[in-house]
PDB file of all heavy atoms in Angstrom:
ATOM      1  N   SER A   1     -18.147   5.249  -1.793  1.00 85.00           N
ATOM      2  CA  SER A   1     -17.637   4.090  -2.521  1.00 85.00           C
ATOM      3  C   SER A   1     -17.738   2.815  -1.616  1.00 85.00           C
ATOM      4  O   SER A   1     -17.725   2.901  -0.355  1.00 85.00           O
ATOM      5  CB  SER A   1     -16.174   4.325  -2.917  1.00 85.00           C
ATOM      6  OG  SER A   1     -15.600   3.135  -3.408  1.00 85.00           O
ATOM      7  N   MET A   2     -17.813   1.677  -2.279  1.00 87.00           N
ATOM      8  CA  MET A   2     -17.903   0.450  -1.553  1.00 87.00           C
ATOM      9  C   MET A   2     -16.525  -0.087  -1.087  1.00 87.00           C
ATOM     10  O   MET A   2     -16.465  -0.932  -0.186  1.00 87.00           O
ATOM     11  CB  MET A   2     -18.578  -0.678  -2.369  1.00 87.00           C
ATOM     12  CG  MET A   2     -17.743  -1.179  -3.542  1.00 87.00           C
ATOM     13  SD  MET A   2     -18.462  -2.704  -4.281  1.00 87.00           S
ATOM     14  CE  MET A   2     -19.965  -2.027  -5.010  1.00 87.00           C
ATOM     15  N   THR A   3     -15.456   0.478  -1.662  1.00 89.00           N
ATOM     16  CA  THR A   3     -14.151  -0.090  -1.398  1.00 89.00           C
ATOM     17  C   THR A   3     -13.579   0.165   0.064  1.00 89.00           C
ATOM     18  O   THR A   3     -12.876  -0.678   0.587  1.00 89.00           O
ATOM     19  CB  THR A   3     -13.104   0.370  -2.430  1.00 89.00           C
ATOM     20  OG1 THR A   3     -13.181   1.801  -2.529  1.00 89.00           O
ATOM     21  CG2 THR A   3     -13.444  -0.183  -3.765  1.00 89.00           C
ATOM     22  N   PRO A   4     -13.747   1.336   0.680  1.00 89.00           N
ATOM     23  CA  PRO A   4     -13.130   1.587   2.024  1.00 89.00           C
ATOM     24  C   PRO A   4     -13.492   0.513   3.062  1.00 89.00           C
ATOM     25  O   PRO A   4     -12.622   0.044   3.740  1.00 89.00           O
ATOM     26  CB  PRO A   4     -13.660   2.972   2.414  1.00 89.00           C
ATOM     27  CG  PRO A   4     -13.930   3.656   1.122  1.00 89.00           C
ATOM     28  CD  PRO A   4     -14.409   2.581   0.219  1.00 89.00           C
ATOM     29  N   ALA A   5     -14.785   0.109   3.094  1.00 87.00           N
ATOM     30  CA  ALA A   5     -15.147  -0.939   4.062  1.00 87.00           C
ATOM     31  C   ALA A   5     -14.536  -2.282   3.725  1.00 87.00           C
ATOM     32  O   ALA A   5     -14.194  -3.025   4.644  1.00 87.00           O
ATOM     33  CB  ALA A   5     -16.678  -0.994   4.096  1.00 87.00           C
ATOM     34  N   LEU A   6     -14.397  -2.595   2.436  1.00 88.00           N
ATOM     35  CA  LEU A   6     -13.766  -3.870   2.019  1.00 88.00           C
ATOM     36  C   LEU A   6     -12.312  -3.829   2.385  1.00 88.00           C
ATOM     37  O   LEU A   6     -11.748  -4.894   2.809  1.00 88.00           O
ATOM     38  CB  LEU A   6     -13.948  -4.101   0.513  1.00 88.00           C
ATOM     39  CG  LEU A   6     -15.441  -4.119   0.030  1.00 88.00           C
ATOM     40  CD1 LEU A   6     -15.423  -4.364  -1.499  1.00 88.00           C
ATOM     41  CD2 LEU A   6     -16.231  -5.192   0.692  1.00 88.00           C
ATOM     42  N   ILE A   7     -11.675  -2.656   2.203  1.00 88.00           N
ATOM     43  CA  ILE A   7     -10.215  -2.580   2.554  1.00 88.00           C
ATOM     44  C   ILE A   7     -10.039  -2.706   4.042  1.00 88.00           C
ATOM     45  O   ILE A   7      -9.139  -3.389   4.566  1.00 88.00           O
ATOM     46  CB  ILE A   7      -9.675  -1.262   2.077  1.00 88.00           C
ATOM     47  CG1 ILE A   7      -9.635  -1.192   0.565  1.00 88.00           C
ATOM     48  CG2 ILE A   7      -8.261  -1.050   2.577  1.00 88.00           C
ATOM     49  CD1 ILE A   7      -9.323   0.193  -0.050  1.00 88.00           C
ATOM     50  N   GLU A   8     -10.930  -2.020   4.845  1.00 88.00           N
ATOM     51  CA  GLU A   8     -10.880  -2.043   6.252  1.00 88.00           C
ATOM     52  C   GLU A   8     -11.024  -3.474   6.874  1.00 88.00           C
ATOM     53  O   GLU A   8     -10.358  -3.827   7.842  1.00 88.00           O
ATOM     54  CB  GLU A   8     -11.943  -1.147   6.841  1.00 88.00           C
ATOM     55  CG  GLU A   8     -11.860  -1.002   8.364  1.00 88.00           C
ATOM     56  CD  GLU A   8     -12.980  -0.174   8.911  1.00 88.00           C
ATOM     57  OE1 GLU A   8     -13.746   0.437   8.141  1.00 88.00           O
ATOM     58  OE2 GLU A   8     -13.166  -0.076  10.147  1.00 88.00           O
ATOM     59  N   SER A   9     -11.767  -4.302   6.213  1.00 85.00           N
ATOM     60  CA  SER A   9     -11.987  -5.696   6.719  1.00 85.00           C
ATOM     61  C   SER A   9     -10.679  -6.492   6.702  1.00 85.00           C
ATOM     62  O   SER A   9     -10.516  -7.383   7.562  1.00 85.00           O
ATOM     63  CB  SER A   9     -13.085  -6.417   5.907  1.00 85.00           C
ATOM     64  OG  SER A   9     -12.653  -6.678   4.620  1.00 85.00           O
ATOM     65  N   GLY A  10      -9.856  -6.197   5.728  1.00 86.00           N
ATOM     66  CA  GLY A  10      -8.577  -6.967   5.556  1.00 86.00           C
ATOM     67  C   GLY A  10      -8.758  -8.306   4.852  1.00 86.00           C
ATOM     68  O   GLY A  10      -7.785  -9.061   4.706  1.00 86.00           O
ATOM     69  N   TYR A  11      -9.953  -8.630   4.417  1.00 86.00           N
ATOM     70  CA  TYR A  11     -10.232  -9.951   3.771  1.00 86.00           C
ATOM     71  C   TYR A  11     -10.261  -9.811   2.209  1.00 86.00           C
ATOM     72  O   TYR A  11     -10.266 -10.852   1.517  1.00 86.00           O
ATOM     73  CB  TYR A  11     -11.519 -10.519   4.247  1.00 86.00           C
ATOM     74  CG  TYR A  11     -11.565 -10.733   5.784  1.00 86.00           C
ATOM     75  CD1 TYR A  11     -12.600 -10.264   6.563  1.00 86.00           C
ATOM     76  CD2 TYR A  11     -10.544 -11.487   6.375  1.00 86.00           C
ATOM     77  CE1 TYR A  11     -12.620 -10.469   7.900  1.00 86.00           C
ATOM     78  CE2 TYR A  11     -10.566 -11.715   7.721  1.00 86.00           C
ATOM     79  CZ  TYR A  11     -11.589 -11.154   8.462  1.00 86.00           C
ATOM     80  OH  TYR A  11     -11.616 -11.349   9.834  1.00 86.00           O
ATOM     81  N   PHE A  12     -10.285  -8.577   1.717  1.00 87.00           N
ATOM     82  CA  PHE A  12     -10.254  -8.379   0.301  1.00 87.00           C
ATOM     83  C   PHE A  12      -8.905  -7.890  -0.191  1.00 87.00           C
ATOM     84  O   PHE A  12      -8.479  -6.839   0.319  1.00 87.00           O
ATOM     85  CB  PHE A  12     -11.361  -7.432  -0.123  1.00 87.00           C
ATOM     86  CG  PHE A  12     -12.806  -7.937   0.014  1.00 87.00           C
ATOM     87  CD1 PHE A  12     -13.334  -8.011   1.266  1.00 87.00           C
ATOM     88  CD2 PHE A  12     -13.514  -8.369  -1.074  1.00 87.00           C
ATOM     89  CE1 PHE A  12     -14.658  -8.526   1.412  1.00 87.00           C
ATOM     90  CE2 PHE A  12     -14.783  -8.857  -0.971  1.00 87.00           C
ATOM     91  CZ  PHE A  12     -15.349  -8.924   0.286  1.00 87.00           C
ATOM     92  N   PRO A  13      -8.273  -8.617  -1.050  1.00 86.00           N
ATOM     93  CA  PRO A  13      -6.893  -8.241  -1.488  1.00 86.00           C
ATOM     94  C   PRO A  13      -6.908  -6.817  -2.136  1.00 86.00           C
ATOM     95  O   PRO A  13      -7.862  -6.332  -2.627  1.00 86.00           O
ATOM     96  CB  PRO A  13      -6.542  -9.280  -2.582  1.00 86.00           C
ATOM     97  CG  PRO A  13      -7.409 -10.483  -2.208  1.00 86.00           C
ATOM     98  CD  PRO A  13      -8.680  -9.923  -1.665  1.00 86.00           C
ATOM     99  N   THR A  14      -5.725  -6.196  -2.060  1.00 87.00           N
ATOM    100  CA  THR A  14      -5.576  -4.874  -2.581  1.00 87.00           C
ATOM    101  C   THR A  14      -5.929  -4.780  -4.059  1.00 87.00           C
ATOM    102  O   THR A  14      -6.557  -3.815  -4.538  1.00 87.00           O
ATOM    103  CB  THR A  14      -4.087  -4.386  -2.390  1.00 87.00           C
ATOM    104  OG1 THR A  14      -3.757  -4.493  -0.979  1.00 87.00           O
ATOM    105  CG2 THR A  14      -3.954  -2.982  -2.830  1.00 87.00           C
ATOM    106  N   MET A  15      -5.537  -5.796  -4.869  1.00 87.00           N
ATOM    107  CA  MET A  15      -5.818  -5.807  -6.260  1.00 87.00           C
ATOM    108  C   MET A  15      -7.321  -5.810  -6.531  1.00 87.00           C
ATOM    109  O   MET A  15      -7.773  -5.095  -7.427  1.00 87.00           O
ATOM    110  CB  MET A  15      -5.219  -7.030  -6.914  1.00 87.00           C
ATOM    111  CG  MET A  15      -5.384  -7.115  -8.489  1.00 87.00           C
ATOM    112  SD  MET A  15      -5.277  -8.766  -9.096  1.00 87.00           S
ATOM    113  CE  MET A  15      -6.779  -9.489  -8.555  1.00 87.00           C
ATOM    114  N   VAL A  16      -8.071  -6.540  -5.754  1.00 88.00           N
ATOM    115  CA  VAL A  16      -9.492  -6.634  -5.891  1.00 88.00           C
ATOM    116  C   VAL A  16     -10.148  -5.250  -5.600  1.00 88.00           C
ATOM    117  O   VAL A  16     -10.930  -4.746  -6.396  1.00 88.00           O
ATOM    118  CB  VAL A  16     -10.118  -7.656  -5.009  1.00 88.00           C
ATOM    119  CG1 VAL A  16     -11.640  -7.653  -5.051  1.00 88.00           C
ATOM    120  CG2 VAL A  16      -9.603  -9.090  -5.384  1.00 88.00           C
ATOM    121  N   THR A  17      -9.823  -4.679  -4.473  1.00 89.00           N
ATOM    122  CA  THR A  17     -10.374  -3.375  -4.099  1.00 89.00           C
ATOM    123  C   THR A  17     -10.004  -2.263  -5.112  1.00 89.00           C
ATOM    124  O   THR A  17     -10.776  -1.371  -5.434  1.00 89.00           O
ATOM    125  CB  THR A  17      -9.980  -2.982  -2.675  1.00 89.00           C
ATOM    126  OG1 THR A  17      -8.529  -3.009  -2.556  1.00 89.00           O
ATOM    127  CG2 THR A  17     -10.584  -3.945  -1.659  1.00 89.00           C
ATOM    128  N   HIS A  18      -8.750  -2.344  -5.623  1.00 90.00           N
ATOM    129  CA  HIS A  18      -8.283  -1.340  -6.581  1.00 90.00           C
ATOM    130  C   HIS A  18      -9.130  -1.458  -7.893  1.00 90.00           C
ATOM    131  O   HIS A  18      -9.511  -0.489  -8.442  1.00 90.00           O
ATOM    132  CB  HIS A  18      -6.796  -1.569  -6.896  1.00 90.00           C
ATOM    133  CG  HIS A  18      -6.236  -0.583  -7.859  1.00 90.00           C
ATOM    134  ND1 HIS A  18      -6.111   0.729  -7.574  1.00 90.00           N
ATOM    135  CD2 HIS A  18      -5.734  -0.759  -9.060  1.00 90.00           C
ATOM    136  CE1 HIS A  18      -5.589   1.382  -8.544  1.00 90.00           C
ATOM    137  NE2 HIS A  18      -5.333   0.526  -9.545  1.00 90.00           N
ATOM    138  N   MET A  19      -9.344  -2.716  -8.357  1.00 90.00           N
ATOM    139  CA  MET A  19     -10.097  -2.911  -9.610  1.00 90.00           C
ATOM    140  C   MET A  19     -11.566  -2.531  -9.373  1.00 90.00           C
ATOM    141  O   MET A  19     -12.198  -1.959 -10.297  1.00 90.00           O
ATOM    142  CB  MET A  19      -9.974  -4.358 -10.047  1.00 90.00           C
ATOM    143  CG  MET A  19      -8.605  -4.720 -10.503  1.00 90.00           C
ATOM    144  SD  MET A  19      -8.522  -6.452 -11.155  1.00 90.00           S
ATOM    145  CE  MET A  19      -9.482  -6.282 -12.707  1.00 90.00           C
ATOM    146  N   ILE A  20     -12.084  -2.737  -8.165  1.00 89.00           N
ATOM    147  CA  ILE A  20     -13.525  -2.361  -7.955  1.00 89.00           C
ATOM    148  C   ILE A  20     -13.607  -0.842  -7.949  1.00 89.00           C
ATOM    149  O   ILE A  20     -14.528  -0.274  -8.531  1.00 89.00           O
ATOM    150  CB  ILE A  20     -13.967  -2.877  -6.565  1.00 89.00           C
ATOM    151  CG1 ILE A  20     -14.147  -4.442  -6.635  1.00 89.00           C
ATOM    152  CG2 ILE A  20     -15.298  -2.233  -6.117  1.00 89.00           C
ATOM    153  CD1 ILE A  20     -14.484  -5.032  -5.326  1.00 89.00           C
ATOM    154  N   ARG A  21     -12.633  -0.161  -7.384  1.00 90.00           N
ATOM    155  CA  ARG A  21     -12.614   1.305  -7.369  1.00 90.00           C
ATOM    156  C   ARG A  21     -12.551   1.848  -8.786  1.00 90.00           C
ATOM    157  O   ARG A  21     -13.261   2.814  -9.167  1.00 90.00           O
ATOM    158  CB  ARG A  21     -11.476   1.892  -6.600  1.00 90.00           C
ATOM    159  CG  ARG A  21     -11.437   3.413  -6.479  1.00 90.00           C
ATOM    160  CD  ARG A  21     -10.302   3.949  -5.691  1.00 90.00           C
ATOM    161  NE  ARG A  21     -10.479   3.815  -4.269  1.00 90.00           N
ATOM    162  CZ  ARG A  21      -9.763   2.988  -3.505  1.00 90.00           C
ATOM    163  NH1 ARG A  21      -8.798   2.310  -4.005  1.00 90.00           N
ATOM    164  NH2 ARG A  21     -10.003   2.978  -2.211  1.00 90.00           N
ATOM    165  N   LEU A  22     -11.711   1.251  -9.629  1.00 90.00           N
ATOM    166  CA  LEU A  22     -11.608   1.603 -11.008  1.00 90.00           C
ATOM    167  C   LEU A  22     -12.915   1.377 -11.768  1.00 90.00           C
ATOM    168  O   LEU A  22     -13.371   2.228 -12.592  1.00 90.00           O
ATOM    169  CB  LEU A  22     -10.508   0.854 -11.703  1.00 90.00           C
ATOM    170  CG  LEU A  22      -9.035   1.174 -11.288  1.00 90.00           C
ATOM    171  CD1 LEU A  22      -8.060   0.280 -12.004  1.00 90.00           C
ATOM    172  CD2 LEU A  22      -8.694   2.685 -11.704  1.00 90.00           C
ATOM    173  N   GLY A  23     -13.573   0.278 -11.426  1.00 88.00           N
ATOM    174  CA  GLY A  23     -14.855  -0.015 -12.080  1.00 88.00           C
ATOM    175  C   GLY A  23     -15.911   1.010 -11.664  1.00 88.00           C
ATOM    176  O   GLY A  23     -16.750   1.428 -12.494  1.00 88.00           O
ATOM    177  N   GLU A  24     -15.929   1.450 -10.375  1.00 86.00           N
ATOM    178  CA  GLU A  24     -16.867   2.488  -9.940  1.00 86.00           C
ATOM    179  C   GLU A  24     -16.645   3.767 -10.663  1.00 86.00           C
ATOM    180  O   GLU A  24     -17.517   4.453 -11.064  1.00 86.00           O
ATOM    181  CB  GLU A  24     -16.746   2.640  -8.394  1.00 86.00           C
ATOM    182  CG  GLU A  24     -17.301   1.503  -7.603  1.00 86.00           C
ATOM    183  CD  GLU A  24     -17.055   1.671  -6.127  1.00 86.00           C
ATOM    184  OE1 GLU A  24     -16.044   2.209  -5.687  1.00 86.00           O
ATOM    185  OE2 GLU A  24     -18.010   1.320  -5.331  1.00 86.00           O
ATOM    186  N   GLN A  25     -15.345   4.149 -10.780  1.00 87.00           N
ATOM    187  CA  GLN A  25     -15.008   5.423 -11.393  1.00 87.00           C
ATOM    188  C   GLN A  25     -15.292   5.440 -12.884  1.00 87.00           C
ATOM    189  O   GLN A  25     -15.634   6.461 -13.443  1.00 87.00           O
ATOM    190  CB  GLN A  25     -13.521   5.757 -11.116  1.00 87.00           C
ATOM    191  CG  GLN A  25     -13.204   6.054  -9.695  1.00 87.00           C
ATOM    192  CD  GLN A  25     -11.726   6.142  -9.355  1.00 87.00           C
ATOM    193  OE1 GLN A  25     -10.895   5.876 -10.296  1.00 87.00           O
ATOM    194  NE2 GLN A  25     -11.356   6.517  -8.182  1.00 87.00           N
ATOM    195  N   SER A  26     -15.081   4.286 -13.580  1.00 87.00           N
ATOM    196  CA  SER A  26     -15.301   4.267 -14.991  1.00 87.00           C
ATOM    197  C   SER A  26     -16.699   3.912 -15.452  1.00 87.00           C
ATOM    198  O   SER A  26     -17.059   3.888 -16.578  1.00 87.00           O
ATOM    199  CB  SER A  26     -14.322   3.227 -15.607  1.00 87.00           C
ATOM    200  OG  SER A  26     -14.558   1.939 -15.104  1.00 87.00           O
ATOM    201  N   GLY A  27     -17.519   3.518 -14.425  1.00 84.00           N
ATOM    202  CA  GLY A  27     -18.875   3.092 -14.746  1.00 84.00           C
ATOM    203  C   GLY A  27     -19.026   1.727 -15.309  1.00 84.00           C
ATOM    204  O   GLY A  27     -20.056   1.369 -15.918  1.00 84.00           O
ATOM    205  N   GLU A  28     -17.998   0.899 -15.176  1.00 86.00           N
ATOM    206  CA  GLU A  28     -17.988  -0.448 -15.693  1.00 86.00           C
ATOM    207  C   GLU A  28     -17.707  -1.496 -14.608  1.00 86.00           C
ATOM    208  O   GLU A  28     -16.948  -2.410 -14.737  1.00 86.00           O
ATOM    209  CB  GLU A  28     -16.909  -0.613 -16.802  1.00 86.00           C
ATOM    210  CG  GLU A  28     -17.151   0.302 -18.053  1.00 86.00           C
ATOM    211  CD  GLU A  28     -16.068   0.156 -19.105  1.00 86.00           C
ATOM    212  OE1 GLU A  28     -15.134  -0.640 -18.830  1.00 86.00           O
ATOM    213  OE2 GLU A  28     -16.199   0.762 -20.120  1.00 86.00           O
ATOM    214  N   LEU A  29     -18.424  -1.291 -13.516  1.00 87.00           N
ATOM    215  CA  LEU A  29     -18.219  -2.077 -12.322  1.00 87.00           C
ATOM    216  C   LEU A  29     -18.524  -3.570 -12.578  1.00 87.00           C
ATOM    217  O   LEU A  29     -17.752  -4.396 -12.197  1.00 87.00           O
ATOM    218  CB  LEU A  29     -19.102  -1.593 -11.158  1.00 87.00           C
ATOM    219  CG  LEU A  29     -18.950  -2.325  -9.863  1.00 87.00           C
ATOM    220  CD1 LEU A  29     -17.526  -2.306  -9.356  1.00 87.00           C
ATOM    221  CD2 LEU A  29     -19.892  -1.735  -8.812  1.00 87.00           C
ATOM    222  N   GLU A  30     -19.642  -3.861 -13.280  1.00 86.00           N
ATOM    223  CA  GLU A  30     -20.020  -5.238 -13.501  1.00 86.00           C
ATOM    224  C   GLU A  30     -19.012  -6.008 -14.325  1.00 86.00           C
ATOM    225  O   GLU A  30     -18.684  -7.159 -14.019  1.00 86.00           O
ATOM    226  CB  GLU A  30     -21.392  -5.361 -14.134  1.00 86.00           C
ATOM    227  CG  GLU A  30     -21.563  -4.615 -15.477  1.00 86.00           C
ATOM    228  CD  GLU A  30     -22.143  -3.242 -15.253  1.00 86.00           C
ATOM    229  OE1 GLU A  30     -21.876  -2.627 -14.202  1.00 86.00           O
ATOM    230  OE2 GLU A  30     -22.840  -2.815 -16.180  1.00 86.00           O
ATOM    231  N   SER A  31     -18.430  -5.394 -15.384  1.00 87.00           N
ATOM    232  CA  SER A  31     -17.439  -6.017 -16.223  1.00 87.00           C
ATOM    233  C   SER A  31     -16.123  -6.245 -15.432  1.00 87.00           C
ATOM    234  O   SER A  31     -15.451  -7.259 -15.634  1.00 87.00           O
ATOM    235  CB  SER A  31     -17.207  -5.248 -17.455  1.00 87.00           C
ATOM    236  OG  SER A  31     -16.716  -3.940 -17.204  1.00 87.00           O
ATOM    237  N   MET A  32     -15.759  -5.257 -14.598  1.00 89.00           N
ATOM    238  CA  MET A  32     -14.561  -5.403 -13.762  1.00 89.00           C
ATOM    239  C   MET A  32     -14.730  -6.523 -12.756  1.00 89.00           C
ATOM    240  O   MET A  32     -13.808  -7.279 -12.509  1.00 89.00           O
ATOM    241  CB  MET A  32     -14.278  -4.072 -13.064  1.00 89.00           C
ATOM    242  CG  MET A  32     -12.882  -3.973 -12.533  1.00 89.00           C
ATOM    243  SD  MET A  32     -11.635  -3.789 -13.828  1.00 89.00           S
ATOM    244  CE  MET A  32     -11.882  -2.126 -14.361  1.00 89.00           C
ATOM    245  N   LEU A  33     -15.894  -6.653 -12.197  1.00 89.00           N
ATOM    246  CA  LEU A  33     -16.181  -7.722 -11.227  1.00 89.00           C
ATOM    247  C   LEU A  33     -16.168  -9.056 -11.877  1.00 89.00           C
ATOM    248  O   LEU A  33     -15.644 -10.055 -11.348  1.00 89.00           O
ATOM    249  CB  LEU A  33     -17.547  -7.496 -10.560  1.00 89.00           C
ATOM    250  CG  LEU A  33     -17.601  -6.353  -9.544  1.00 89.00           C
ATOM    251  CD1 LEU A  33     -19.099  -6.068  -9.212  1.00 89.00           C
ATOM    252  CD2 LEU A  33     -16.842  -6.645  -8.276  1.00 89.00           C
ATOM    253  N   ALA A  34     -16.624  -9.112 -13.135  1.00 88.00           N
ATOM    254  CA  ALA A  34     -16.599 -10.348 -13.881  1.00 88.00           C
ATOM    255  C   ALA A  34     -15.127 -10.816 -14.160  1.00 88.00           C
ATOM    256  O   ALA A  34     -14.852 -12.013 -14.113  1.00 88.00           O
ATOM    257  CB  ALA A  34     -17.351 -10.211 -15.209  1.00 88.00           C
ATOM    258  N   ILE A  35     -14.279  -9.893 -14.455  1.00 88.00           N
ATOM    259  CA  ILE A  35     -12.842 -10.203 -14.688  1.00 88.00           C
ATOM    260  C   ILE A  35     -12.180 -10.743 -13.415  1.00 88.00           C
ATOM    261  O   ILE A  35     -11.485 -11.757 -13.430  1.00 88.00           O
ATOM    262  CB  ILE A  35     -12.099  -8.944 -15.188  1.00 88.00           C
ATOM    263  CG1 ILE A  35     -12.604  -8.555 -16.583  1.00 88.00           C
ATOM    264  CG2 ILE A  35     -10.578  -9.205 -15.243  1.00 88.00           C
ATOM    265  CD1 ILE A  35     -12.076  -7.195 -17.020  1.00 88.00           C
ATOM    266  N   ILE A  36     -12.521 -10.094 -12.285  1.00 88.00           N
ATOM    267  CA  ILE A  36     -11.913 -10.553 -11.026  1.00 88.00           C
ATOM    268  C   ILE A  36     -12.455 -11.973 -10.731  1.00 88.00           C
ATOM    269  O   ILE A  36     -11.656 -12.840 -10.339  1.00 88.00           O
ATOM    270  CB  ILE A  36     -12.327  -9.639  -9.885  1.00 88.00           C
ATOM    271  CG1 ILE A  36     -11.791  -8.231 -10.154  1.00 88.00           C
ATOM    272  CG2 ILE A  36     -11.809 -10.125  -8.538  1.00 88.00           C
ATOM    273  CD1 ILE A  36     -12.325  -7.158  -9.143  1.00 88.00           C
ATOM    274  N   ALA A  37     -13.720 -12.186 -10.885  1.00 86.00           N
ATOM    275  CA  ALA A  37     -14.316 -13.489 -10.598  1.00 86.00           C
ATOM    276  C   ALA A  37     -13.714 -14.583 -11.468  1.00 86.00           C
ATOM    277  O   ALA A  37     -13.462 -15.724 -10.969  1.00 86.00           O
ATOM    278  CB  ALA A  37     -15.859 -13.469 -10.808  1.00 86.00           C
ATOM    279  N   GLU A  38     -13.458 -14.350 -12.670  1.00 84.00           N
ATOM    280  CA  GLU A  38     -12.870 -15.333 -13.615  1.00 84.00           C
ATOM    281  C   GLU A  38     -11.448 -15.668 -13.192  1.00 84.00           C
ATOM    282  O   GLU A  38     -11.052 -16.806 -13.165  1.00 84.00           O
ATOM    283  CB  GLU A  38     -12.903 -14.787 -15.067  1.00 84.00           C
ATOM    284  CG  GLU A  38     -12.569 -15.853 -16.079  1.00 84.00           C
ATOM    285  CD  GLU A  38     -13.544 -16.998 -16.119  1.00 84.00           C
ATOM    286  OE1 GLU A  38     -14.692 -16.743 -15.828  1.00 84.00           O
ATOM    287  OE2 GLU A  38     -13.094 -18.104 -16.473  1.00 84.00           O
ATOM    288  N   ASN A  39     -10.688 -14.610 -12.877  1.00 85.00           N
ATOM    289  CA  ASN A  39      -9.324 -14.837 -12.390  1.00 85.00           C
ATOM    290  C   ASN A  39      -9.276 -15.639 -11.115  1.00 85.00           C
ATOM    291  O   ASN A  39      -8.454 -16.578 -10.939  1.00 85.00           O
ATOM    292  CB  ASN A  39      -8.616 -13.451 -12.198  1.00 85.00           C
ATOM    293  CG  ASN A  39      -8.323 -12.741 -13.457  1.00 85.00           C
ATOM    294  OD1 ASN A  39      -8.223 -13.370 -14.478  1.00 85.00           O
ATOM    295  ND2 ASN A  39      -8.204 -11.449 -13.429  1.00 85.00           N
ATOM    296  N   TYR A  40     -10.203 -15.343 -10.130  1.00 83.00           N
ATOM    297  CA  TYR A  40     -10.204 -16.052  -8.912  1.00 83.00           C
ATOM    298  C   TYR A  40     -10.697 -17.529  -9.057  1.00 83.00           C
ATOM    299  O   TYR A  40     -10.245 -18.393  -8.310  1.00 83.00           O
ATOM    300  CB  TYR A  40     -11.111 -15.337  -7.904  1.00 83.00           C
ATOM    301  CG  TYR A  40     -10.320 -14.378  -7.002  1.00 83.00           C
ATOM    302  CD1 TYR A  40      -9.739 -13.224  -7.528  1.00 83.00           C
ATOM    303  CD2 TYR A  40     -10.021 -14.729  -5.679  1.00 83.00           C
ATOM    304  CE1 TYR A  40      -8.996 -12.381  -6.741  1.00 83.00           C
ATOM    305  CE2 TYR A  40      -9.307 -13.877  -4.882  1.00 83.00           C
ATOM    306  CZ  TYR A  40      -8.778 -12.732  -5.372  1.00 83.00           C
ATOM    307  OH  TYR A  40      -8.013 -11.864  -4.640  1.00 83.00           O
ATOM    308  N   LYS A  41     -11.552 -17.735 -10.042  1.00 80.00           N
ATOM    309  CA  LYS A  41     -11.994 -19.086 -10.334  1.00 80.00           C
ATOM    310  C   LYS A  41     -10.840 -19.948 -10.729  1.00 80.00           C
ATOM    311  O   LYS A  41     -10.676 -21.075 -10.248  1.00 80.00           O
ATOM    312  CB  LYS A  41     -13.063 -19.014 -11.465  1.00 80.00           C
ATOM    313  CG  LYS A  41     -13.588 -20.386 -11.864  1.00 80.00           C
ATOM    314  CD  LYS A  41     -14.489 -20.262 -13.029  1.00 80.00           C
ATOM    315  CE  LYS A  41     -14.946 -21.662 -13.578  1.00 80.00           C
ATOM    316  NZ  LYS A  41     -15.838 -21.577 -14.690  1.00 80.00           N
ATOM    317  N   ASP A  42      -9.993 -19.461 -11.613  1.00 80.00           N
ATOM    318  CA  ASP A  42      -8.789 -20.216 -12.108  1.00 80.00           C
ATOM    319  C   ASP A  42      -7.848 -20.394 -10.942  1.00 80.00           C
ATOM    320  O   ASP A  42      -7.210 -21.466 -10.785  1.00 80.00           O
ATOM    321  CB  ASP A  42      -8.143 -19.510 -13.277  1.00 80.00           C
ATOM    322  CG  ASP A  42      -9.066 -19.412 -14.479  1.00 80.00           C
ATOM    323  OD1 ASP A  42      -9.978 -20.244 -14.592  1.00 80.00           O
ATOM    324  OD2 ASP A  42      -8.841 -18.570 -15.311  1.00 80.00           O
TER     325      ASP A  42
END
């Protein structure tokens, strides 16, 4: 998974890595990333 290295860096919030992991497991990673990006934009 891509999340362990992101968590280890300490620069990616827990909510972000948790949603990325959910996206990987559900096969909807791109849509999950789009939601995170929109929230962070605001």
Side-chain angles (χ1 to χ4, degrees):
S1 168
M2 71 168 67
T3 52
L6 301 180
I7 295 172
E8 184 183 352
S9 70
Y11 300 127
F12 289 77
T14 305
M15 182 202 74
V16 173
T17 54
H18 182 65
M19 291 183 70
I20 290 175
R21 182 181 283 113
L22 289 176
E24 288 178 321
Q25 293 172 353
S26 63
E28 298 181 357
L29 181 58
E30 56 266 31
S31 59
M32 197 69 75
L33 288 168
I35 293 171
I36 300 171
E38 190 64 30
N39 290 336
Y40 265 72
K41 178 183 174 182
D42 296 336

